[in-house]
Amino acid sequence: APGALALSAWAELMALARDHGRPWPGGSPRFAAEEVATWVDSATADGVRALALAAEQAQFGGPAHEPAAHDWAGVADSVALALDGAEASRWRRWKARRLPASVLG
């Protein structure tokens, strides 16, 4: 179901942020997306915003407002690459891959 895919992808962004030591912004997905958009390039930021809207539709829209079907994997991959980018230390990248906080608690 498109709504479940959007919520799953949104949860993946939250996990990626945690794995990379980034605090997740509070508020609705749309509000959080504006902060997450500052972590990535403009094309990825657009994808993050679109995903946030789909996640809100899935959470709050009910069956009549199901988001459109979309493959959100590319957005999550782009966010992961951005978080692994130049600002991340080798230790942070290693830890995010081998000892992810989202999995290990």
Side-chain angles (χ1 to χ4, degrees), residues 4-83:
L5 291 174
L7 290 173
S8 230
W10 190 250
E12 178 64 14
L13 294 190
M14 293 170 69
L16 286 167
R18 184 169 181 207
D19 294 345
H20 286 84
R22 296 278 182 128
W24 187 256
S28 70
R30 194 179 321 194
F31 180 81
E34 290 309 313
E35 174 67 24
V36 175
T38 67
W39 305 344
V40 298
D41 62 55
S42 62
T44 303
D46 290 342
V48 168
R49 289 182 187 104
L51 174 54
L53 291 175
E56 281 191 355
Q57 285 178 315
Q59 273 184 310
F60 307 116
H65 301 287
E66 182 87 8
H70 193 284
D71 180 7
W72 298 109
V75 174
D77 289 344
S78 294
V79 169
L81 285 172
L83 292 173

